[in-house]
Every structure is written in structure tokens, then in C-alpha cells.
């Protein structure tokens, strides 16, 4: 025991001694993207031009504390290619001071601006674009609208940017409190350091691993120090970066953030005069890749029919966890099943405040829903994390399906809303699981495309290490093929549960309609009103349109503009409400909004569609009323 303690003291001193060699510290941030994409999308291109970081989780685009970086060259990435653990770096070695950051803000090049060289190289027609298959399986292309792109898209994250010195002490602190590990150097894994002998990720240098492991028979603090200072081997995780060109001294540390987007949820399909469009309605999340984990496994899909365009099943695996209020299970990460039934969910944050297990929901429009509880996160990246054995559980086709949509007579008022369809397993303490979700069409307040739901029971089971996974079928508490409905939206948050959608009594192709529950303003906010003063500079040019109100890249509300576009009108006023707002005696930090006009002529919708953003930010943080001037050119 004394020898072990002496060895731990020795490795601590060796690590501290290495600080002598770390000269001036240089801290940087790199950013990558990860996503989930259903089979309908062949490509989802976005082109990023700027990355900002802020210590405040609620800072709006007008906050003075943003640390802003414009990329040397805009970067176009294909989100549809970044599934199942694939990452793509779009920002490298951005100089950022040390500190704890709680928000990223991404800025996308305007969709219809001159095509960037990166978008051209990717084969895109627009800077932001959706390539999809229509209902007949025909490949189509549509521009991806990014409302109020000049104000950016917010990404909540907890990102620690540490100097080499701070990172060492953080690792030492973790070693003092960790259980089941060898402390600072655990089987060759170091998680915070680059270029100076430390590397982010898992190294294959077994000699360094042995001499730096205080419990190893080959432990040697002097040699360990020398090994740390020498050039590290290539890590196996995608979090690796090196010092920026021209800054090759010891002491550079790079934090790497992953921005997670779900194309199935963060894109909203809409229709304008029967033309298909797509808009970003983003509620992104971010993960610090310094300490992450993976869930990877395989399911038996031999009974399923593969999508002919994607050559894989239209099935998603979603890791879920209870919301903070413990009212429902919500998605954390999703991945599509591949053609062989394998899937990789990555990256999960790993730490004392992060879940160690998740319930997996295996779902799709044509399958029997499967819920597998308590599946553990494995430490490491997809290339190093262990595979979780789910016994190749079989995914079964649904007994039947039926289409649903919002009732045309009752369109959703909060046009940025998502409608969720939930089912609950029988048993004490069970929370509803989100099975399917669809974004509302901001133009109509309905779904632009029916949501198809399985009319079947649920297969479920609980994972137990070393034991065979057993699945049993049961009727959800809502009934076979029935779903509870709840709406959610940016700023509004999660809404209360409303009614239940039930399958038709007999087989029919008629769409089942429902009335979506109302989204109320969240606790801590008041019901605000925006008065939009509209000037129509070119009467008779357009006859259709809406005014969108957005927050940090997500749609909050939309109001029809048609009545002000008729020939007799040249101006007018629209009242938009409710919008979550603050008051003079109770501020609401999230109450910053942007407005944008969408207009077109129904005779030639594709040729005339135009997005015209307002330049001024709408501030409802300390008041429940504001005005905005919008001109239709």
C-alpha cells in the first residue's frame, strides 16, 4: 500500500515537473458536427462562416461578451453523412481564452448568396440545401431557408477551455476522486492535452502507458516525464487537434466541441402554394469532446424491407432520458440503423452529472416500437468503445400503420412547434416515451407531410450485463396504436399533454386528424405582443406571405401576411401574440427575437419566393410589448 502511494506521488510530481516545459500557454477551440438523418434525406448541406463563444448560456446576439471568430474560408458540411459516430470538423484551432463557456453561436452563409467555393466543391446548388426523395422516390433538391441568418444559431454547451497547467490539475483532481481507475494516467488515456506530450484521446503508446501507470510494474516517473514531453502517438478519437500553424511551442491546449443536429427534428418541411420547401428550425445541442462515451450495438433487421433509395431501413434508434421535471422521456441522441442492423450513438457526455445508462427507443413508421431500458454508455469514441450486446434483438414490422395530421380547422398557433407522439409502458412509475415527433409547417400550421404511426403493441425489455436480453410485448397504457400528444417549441419549452390520437376502427387510407394542445408561455415569462408595422414597397408583386419571429435560429411564431399584399394595400399592421416576454420588474433572459418576411406570388411561387429579414433585434426581455418595422421589397 505504501509503495502504491509512493508511486502515485511520483507520477504526480512527474506531471507537475512537466509544467516546467510548458512555457507560454495557448488555448484554442475546434468545432465538429454530428447528426442524425432519416432515409428521406440524401444530403443536407450547411455552410458555416463564423463561430462565436460566450460564457453565458442565455446571451443574445447583441451581448458584448461574445468571442467572435470568422473562418478563413466558409465550410460546407453534409449533415446526412455525419451519422453513426461520424464527425466533421468545420472550425480548427480558433483562439479562445481559458474559461468555461456555455454557449456557441454558429453563423451560416445566406442560402441564396453567391455560392461559396466549399458549397460548389460539395456539389450543392445552394449554400444551404436539402436533397431528398419525394413520395414517389424521385430525387429532389430544395434550398434550406435559414431564418434571420445574420443573428446566428445558438448551441447550448458546457465547454471547458483549460491551460495545460489547469488541465493537469483538473486531471489530478479527477484522479483523487475517481474509482476503478489508475488516476491521471489510466491505461494510456489522457483527456485534456495536446502537443507538449499530452494528447486528447486514447494513445496506442503502450510503453508510455506502462511507465506512467503508477500501479504498473514498469512504472518509472523519470521515463514517464520524458515520454510525456516527446511527440505523442496518433490518437484514435476524432477529438484530436494540434497547435495552429506558427505556434508550435509546448503548452497549447485545444478544447473540441461537437455540435449535434437531428435532421429529423431540426428541419421543418413547409409548403408554399404546393411547392416543397425546408427551413432550419434548430434546437441544437453541444458536447465537450474531452470526456465522452458511446453506445454501439446491432439489431436483427432481417424481417424488414430496406428503403430502395437509402439501402437501409427507415428505422431510428434514440437514446432517451427523463426530463428535469420527470414528466416524460425525451431524446438525447439518435442514429439510423444501418443496412446490417448496426448503430452507433455518439457523443454522450460522461461525468459525475451525466447519466450512465439510457433507455433506447427503436422506432420508425413501419415497425413495432421497441424500448430497451438501462443500456450503459461505454467510455471512449466509436473506434475504442466496447460494443453493448443486445443479443441481436429482432426488429419486427408493424402489424399496421395509419397517417395522422393536425386538423385543418385548428392549425397550430405557435408555428415553430414540434408535435410529439408518446406511449407509456404499463407499470408503476413509468414515464411516457417520445416515439415520433414532427415539426409544424410554419406557413400552414399543419404537417406538410402526414406523420405515419405504427398501430401495434410495444416490445420492451431491460438490459443486464452478462444476461440475455428478453423482450416482451405489451399494450401501452394509451391503448394499442394510440398516442398521447404534446407540443414543444423554442423558448416555450415542453408543453402539457393534450388529447390522445387513436387508430381508425378499420383499415383506411384516410388521414386521422387531431387538435394539438396549446403551448403556453413558460414559467418566469409573461405573454408578450409584437406589433409588426409592414410597408409594402411593391404592391401587386406578391399575393402570399408570412411574418416569422425567430429566436436563436428556431422559429417561435408565424402570422399570415396575405391581407396586406392585395393591390389596395401599401402598408399595415400585424399583431403577433403570444410571445414569451419579460416585465419591468422580472426580466426574461431569452426574450430576444428576430423577424423575417417570407413572400411569393402564387402564380410563380418558385420564381418569386423571397425571404426579407428585419435588421433590428426585437427586445422583450424587460417588457411585454415591442414593435418592429418590416419592409416588403
Amino acid at each position: 500500500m505504501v509503495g502504491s502511494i509512493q508511486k502515485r506521488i511520483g507520477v504526480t510530481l512527474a506531471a507537475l515537473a512537466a509544467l516546467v516545459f510548458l512555457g507560454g500557454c495557448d488555448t484554442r477551440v475546434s468545432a465538429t458536427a454530428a447528426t442524425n438523418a432519416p432515409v428521406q434525406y440524401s444530403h443536407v448541406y450547411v455552410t458555416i462562416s463564423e463561430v462565436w463563444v460566450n460564457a453565458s448560456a442565455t446571451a443574445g446576439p447583441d451581448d458584448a461578451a461574445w468571442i467572435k471568430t470568422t473562418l478563413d474560408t466558409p465550410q460546407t458540411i453534409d449533415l446526412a453523412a455525419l451519422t453513426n459516430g461520424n464527425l466533421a470538423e468545420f472550425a480548427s484551432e480558433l483562439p479562445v481564452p481559458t474559461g468555461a463557456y456555455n454557449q456557441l453561436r454558429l453563423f451560416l452563409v445566406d442560402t441564396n448568396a453567391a455560392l461559396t467555393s466549399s458549397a460548389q466543391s460539395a456539389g450543392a446548388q445552394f449554400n444551404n440545401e436539402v436533397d431528398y426523395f419525394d413520395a414517389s422516390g424521385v430525387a429532389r433538391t430544395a434550398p434550406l431557408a435559414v431564418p434571420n441568418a445574420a443573428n446566428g444559431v445558438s448551441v447550448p454547451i458546457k465547454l471547458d477551455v483549460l491551460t495545460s497547467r489547469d488541465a493537469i490539475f483538473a486531471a489530478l483532481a479527477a484522479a483523487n476522486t475517481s474509482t476503478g481507475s489508475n488516476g491521471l494516467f489510466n491505461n494510456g488515456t489522457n483527456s485534456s492535452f495536446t502537443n507538449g506530450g499530452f494528447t486528447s484521446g486514447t494513445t496506442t503508446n503502450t510503453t508510455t502507458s506502462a511507465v506512467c501507470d503508477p500501479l504498473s510494474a514498469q512504472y518509472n516517473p523519470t521515463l514517464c516525464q520524458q515520454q510525456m514531453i516527446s511527440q505523442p502517438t496518433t490518437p484514435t478519437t476524432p477529438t484530436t487537434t494540434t497547435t495552429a500553424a506558427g505556434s508550435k511551442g509546448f503548452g497549447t491546449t485545444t478544447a473540441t466541441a461537437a455540435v449535434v443536429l437531428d435532421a429529423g427534428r431540426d428541419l421543418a418541411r413547409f409548403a408554399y402554394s404546393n411547392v416543397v420547401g425546408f427551413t432550419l428550425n434548430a434546437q441544437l445541442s453541444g458536447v465537450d469532446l474531452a470526456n465522452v462515451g458511446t453506445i454501439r450495438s446491432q439489431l436483427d433487421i432481417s424481417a424488414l424491407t430496406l428503403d430502395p433509395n437509402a439501402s437501409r431501413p427507415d428505422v431510428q434508434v434514440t437514446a432517451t432520458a427523463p426530463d428535469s421535471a420527470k414528466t416524460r422521456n425525451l431524446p438525447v441522441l439518435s442514429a439510423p440503423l444501418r443496412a446490417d442492423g448496426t448503430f452507433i450513438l455518439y457523443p454522450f457526455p460522461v461525468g459525475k452529472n451525466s447519466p450512465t445508462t439510457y433507455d433506447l427507443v427503436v422506432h420508425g413508421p413501419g415497425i413495432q416500437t421497441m424500448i430497451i431500458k438501462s443500456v450503459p454508455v461505454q467510455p471512449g469514441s466509436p473506434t475504442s468503445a466496447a460494443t453493448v450486446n443486445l443479443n441481436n434483438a429482432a426488429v419486427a414490422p408493424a402489424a399496421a400503420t395509419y397517417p395522422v395530421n393536425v386538423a385543418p380547422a385548428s392549425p397550430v398557433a405557435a408555428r415553430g412547434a414540434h408535435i410529439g407522439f408518446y406511449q407509456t409502458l404499463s407499470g408503476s412509475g413509468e414515464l411516457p416515451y417520445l416515439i415520433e415527433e414532427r415539426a409544424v409547417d410554419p406557413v400552414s400550421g399543419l404537417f406538410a407531410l402526414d406523420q405515419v404511426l405504427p398501430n401495434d403493441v410495444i416490445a420492451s425489455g431491460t438490459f443486464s450485463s452478462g444476461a440475455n436480453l428478453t423482450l416482451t410485448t405489451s399494450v401501452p397504457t394509451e391503448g394499442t396504436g394510440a398516442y398521447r400528444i404534446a407540443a414543444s417549441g423554442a423558448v416555450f419549452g415542453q408543453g402539457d399533454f393534450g388529447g390522445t390520437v387513436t387508430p381508425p376502427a378499420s383499415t383506411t387510407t384516410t388521414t386521422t386528424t387531431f387538435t394539438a394542445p396549446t403551448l403556453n408561455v413558460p414559467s418566469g415569462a409573461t405573454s408578450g405582443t409584437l406589433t409588426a408595422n409592414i410597408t409594402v414597397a411593391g404592391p401587386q408583386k406578391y399575393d402570399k406571405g408570412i411574418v416569422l419571429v425567430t429566436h436563436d435560429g428556431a422559429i417561435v411564431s408565424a402570422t399570415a401576411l396575405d391581407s396586406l399584399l392585395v393591390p389596395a394595400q401599401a402598408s399595415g399592421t400585424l399583431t403577433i401574440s403570444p410571445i414569451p416576454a419579460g416585465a419591468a420588474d422580472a426580466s426574461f433572459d431569452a426574450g430576444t427575437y428576430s423577424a423575417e418576411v417570407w413572400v411569393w406570388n402564387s402564380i410563380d411561387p418558385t420564381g418569386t419566393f423571397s425571404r426579407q429579414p428585419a435588421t433590428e433585434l426585437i427586445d422583450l426581455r424587460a417588457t411585454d410589448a415591442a414593435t418592429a418595422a418590416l419592409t416588403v421589397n
Side-chain angles (χ1 to χ4, degrees):
M1 178 66 177
V2 172
S4 175
I5 293 174
Q6 288 175 335
K7 288 181 180 181
R8 288 187 181 276
I9 293 173
V11 75
T12 299
L13 294 176
L16 295 177
L19 291 174
V20 175
F21 297 88
L22 293 179
C25 289
D26 184 14
T27 55
R28 298 174 182 271
V29 166
S30 292
T32 64
T35 191
N36 169 56
V39 296
Q40 293 80 12
Y41 300 120
S42 57
H43 301 286
V44 179
Y45 295 113
V46 296
T47 302
I48 301 167
S49 60
E50 295 181 52
V51 180
W52 297 4
V53 296
N54 201 309
S56 169
T58 58
D62 60 340
D63 189 86
W66 286 105
I67 298 167
K68 306 176 182 180
T69 303
T70 299
L71 304 184
D72 292 338
T73 304
Q75 298 295 306
T76 300
I77 54 178
D78 181 5
L79 298 175
L82 303 180
T83 64
N84 281 289
N86 292 315
L87 301 179
E89 184 176 86
F90 58 83
S92 178
E93 301 287 345
L94 307 180
V96 172
T98 59
Y101 296 95
N102 291 289
Q103 187 183 174
L104 299 178
R105 190 170 287 262
L106 305 182
F107 289 79
L108 275 60
V109 177
D110 186 78
T111 298
N112 294 313
L115 197 65
T116 63
S117 58
S118 61
Q120 186 174 8
S121 298
Q125 300 178 35
F126 305 90
N127 289 312
N128 308 297
E129 173 182 309
V130 176
D131 295 345
Y132 68 101
F133 297 102
D134 66 14
S136 300
V138 177
R140 305 286 187 184
T141 294
L144 173 61
V146 183
N148 299 110
N151 289 326
V153 180
S154 176
V155 184
I157 192 173
K158 292 188 179 298
L159 181 67
D160 290 326
V161 180
L162 305 175
T163 64
S164 296
R165 181 189 301 268
D166 292 334
I168 286 176
F169 282 117
L172 291 174
N176 289 335
T177 59
S178 65
T179 58
S181 73
N182 293 335
L184 177 62
F185 304 101
N186 181 18
N187 298 326
T189 301
N190 310 313
S191 60
S192 301
F193 313 97
T194 63
N195 204 28
F198 303 93
T199 182
S200 177
T202 302
T203 174
T204 58
N205 189 333
T206 55
T207 303
T208 303
S209 174
V211 299
C212 291
D213 182 350
L215 299 184
S216 167
Q218 287 79 40
Y219 169 72
N220 185 318
T222 301
L223 182 57
C224 175
Q225 177 180 327
Q226 295 171 355
Q227 292 273 9
M228 288 190 297
I229 296 171
S230 65
Q231 181 67 27
T233 56
T234 303
T236 59
T237 72
T239 68
T240 58
T241 50
T242 58
T243 51
S247 177
K248 295 297 184 183
F250 293 117
T252 297
T253 64
T254 302
T256 306
V259 176
V260 180
L261 182 146
D262 191 325
R265 295 186 173 95
D266 294 322
L267 302 185
R269 179 169 173 155
F270 65 93
Y272 57 105
S273 298
N274 296 320
V275 176
V276 174
F278 291 89
T279 182
L280 193 64
N281 187 12
Q283 298 183 53
L284 309 184
S285 61
V287 179
D288 186 341
L289 291 183
N291 198 11
V292 290
T294 302
I295 296 178
R296 58 182 302 158
S297 192
Q298 184 170 22
L299 299 172
D300 178 1
I301 60 170
S302 58
L304 304 183
T305 300
L306 302 186
D307 181 90
N309 297 306
S311 298
R312 58 182 172 88
D314 190 4
V315 178
Q316 311 279 304
V317 180
T318 299
T320 68
D323 66 344
S324 58
K326 300 295 188 292
T327 63
R328 67 202 77 188
N329 290 293
L330 293 176
V332 177
L333 281 176
S334 292
L337 279 183
R338 295 187 285 204
D340 60 355
T342 59
F343 66 90
I344 298 174
L345 293 165
Y346 173 84
F348 290 99
V350 175
K352 63 180 180 180
N353 296 321
S354 302
T356 58
T357 66
Y358 292 86
D359 292 357
L360 303 187
V361 177
V362 184
H363 59 104
I367 70 162
Q368 180 187 74
T369 299
M370 179 189 298
I371 296 175
I372 306 173
K373 293 186 172 186
S374 301
V375 179
V377 175
Q378 303 299 308
S381 71
T383 57
S384 61
T387 298
V388 177
N389 183 11
L390 298 180
N391 300 120
N392 209 30
V395 183
T401 62
Y402 65 105
V404 300
N405 209 322
V406 180
S410 304
V412 178
R415 297 294 172 88
H418 292 70
I419 305 300
F421 300 89
Y422 293 79
Q423 290 184 314
T424 312
L425 296 174
S426 59
S428 176
E430 291 286 352
L431 300 178
Y433 288 90
L434 180 63
I435 308 300
E436 297 293 351
E437 186 178 39
R438 177 144 299 191
V440 169
D441 178 341
V443 176
S444 68
L446 315 177
F447 294 156
L449 205 62
D450 287 348
Q451 173 67 54
V452 176
L453 298 175
N455 181 5
D456 207 342
V457 295
I458 295 178
S460 64
T462 301
F463 175 84
S464 180
S465 181
N468 288 331
L469 175 66
T470 301
L471 298 177
T472 59
T473 57
S474 61
V475 176
T477 60
E478 292 79 9
T480 300
Y483 300 80
R484 297 175 70 184
I485 307 169
S488 63
V491 189
F492 289 96
Q494 297 294 327
D496 295 332
F497 285 105
T500 300
V501 174
T502 57
S506 58
T507 301
T508 177
T509 58
T510 302
T511 301
T512 298
T513 61
F514 62 90
T515 300
T518 301
L519 264 179
N520 298 314
V521 297
S523 175
T526 59
S527 179
T529 299
L530 172 64
T531 300
N533 297 318
I534 312 293
T535 299
V536 182
Q540 304 185 44
K541 183 175 183 180
Y542 308 106
D543 63 348
K544 296 289 184 181
I546 58 174
V547 175
L548 279 85
V549 177
T550 67
H551 172 80
D552 288 345
I555 298 171
V556 175
S557 182
T559 302
L561 188 59
D562 300 4
S563 63
L564 301 182
L565 297 174
V566 296
Q569 297 287 336
S571 63
T573 299
L574 293 178
T575 300
I576 304 172
S577 182
I579 299 175
D585 58 347
S587 63
F588 180 61
D589 289 340
T592 55
Y593 301 96
S594 305
E596 180 168 294
V597 169
W598 290 3
V599 287
W600 65 93
N601 192 298
S602 57
I603 296 176
D604 179 20
T606 302
T608 59
F609 183 82
S610 175
R611 294 172 31 249
Q612 303 180 20
T615 57
E616 298 295 325
L617 200 65
I618 300 163
D619 193 346
L620 285 169
R621 285 174 288 195
T623 180
D624 63 357
T627 60
L630 295 165
T631 300
V632 179
N633 292 309

